[in-house]
């Protein structure tokens, strides 16, 4: 029961679970990320290493806004499952993989 509550409470974990229920690809099955996104993540990591306290607060707000935007895109993909199921399942997986990077940046910040 506690595990179910934890999954339902966290939008990322909830999306992962729903994707699994829908038969979508797992993170290990769909690993590819656009090179430009990975470059952006590396740039953000380097930028984070040089931030002062005020810069960290600004970066945190920027990353939180990015996370919320990504979650909205994932919700939109789930809403479109009926019309284009196969493409949406792959799209959701790619977005969840990208969101994992943003979550890790926030954790490390």
């Amino acid at each position: 029961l506690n595990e179910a509550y934890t999954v339902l409470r966290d939008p990322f974990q909830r999306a992962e679970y729903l994707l699994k229920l829908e038969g979508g690809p797992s993170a290990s099955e769909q690993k590819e990320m656009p090179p430009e996104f990975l470059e952006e993540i590396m740039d953000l990591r380097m930028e984070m290493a040089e931030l002062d306290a005020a810069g960290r607060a600004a970066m945190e707000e920027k990353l939180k806004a990015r996370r919320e935007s990504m979650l909205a895109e994932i919700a939109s993909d789930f809403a479109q499952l009926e019309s284009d199921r196969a493409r949406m399942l792959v799209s959701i997986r790619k977005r969840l993989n990208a969101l994992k990077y943003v979550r890790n940046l926030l954790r490390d910040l």
Side-chain angles (χ1 to χ4, degrees):
L1 201 55
N2 287 336
E3 184 178 341
Y5 177 73
T6 301
V7 168
L8 291 174
R9 202 173 119 210
D10 180 358
F12 178 83
Q13 289 185 34
R14 186 171 54 244
E16 285 276 4
Y17 182 77
L18 289 173
L19 182 62
K20 181 180 175 183
L21 282 179
E22 293 292 338
S26 69
S28 62
E29 294 170 337
Q30 178 77 39
K31 293 181 182 179
E32 65 189 51
M33 295 297 302
E36 31 319 314
F37 177 78
L38 295 175
E39 286 178 34
E40 178 187 0
I41 294 298
M42 285 177 45
D43 291 343
L44 286 170
R45 282 206 177 275
M46 288 189 294
E47 186 179 333
M48 283 171 44
E50 300 171 3
L51 293 175
D52 59 6
R56 284 184 176 272
M59 176 66 79
E60 183 177 9
E61 291 305 313
K62 177 181 170 181
L63 290 173
K64 284 181 178 180
R66 178 86 180 264
R67 177 186 61 197
E68 294 307 313
S69 171
M70 294 172 91
L71 286 168
E73 291 170 354
I74 291 167
S76 174
D77 282 355
F78 270 114
Q80 296 177 40
L81 270 179
E82 294 298 318
S83 63
D84 193 359
R85 183 175 184 76
R87 189 173 69 79
M88 287 297 105
L89 289 174
V90 171
S91 176
I92 291 167
R93 168 48 52 208
K94 287 180 180 178
R95 292 181 194 276
L96 283 169
N97 288 349
L99 181 56
K100 196 178 297 183
Y101 282 92
V102 173
R103 285 173 44 122
N104 289 341
L105 286 175
L106 276 166
R107 179 201 63 213
D108 294 347
L109 187 61

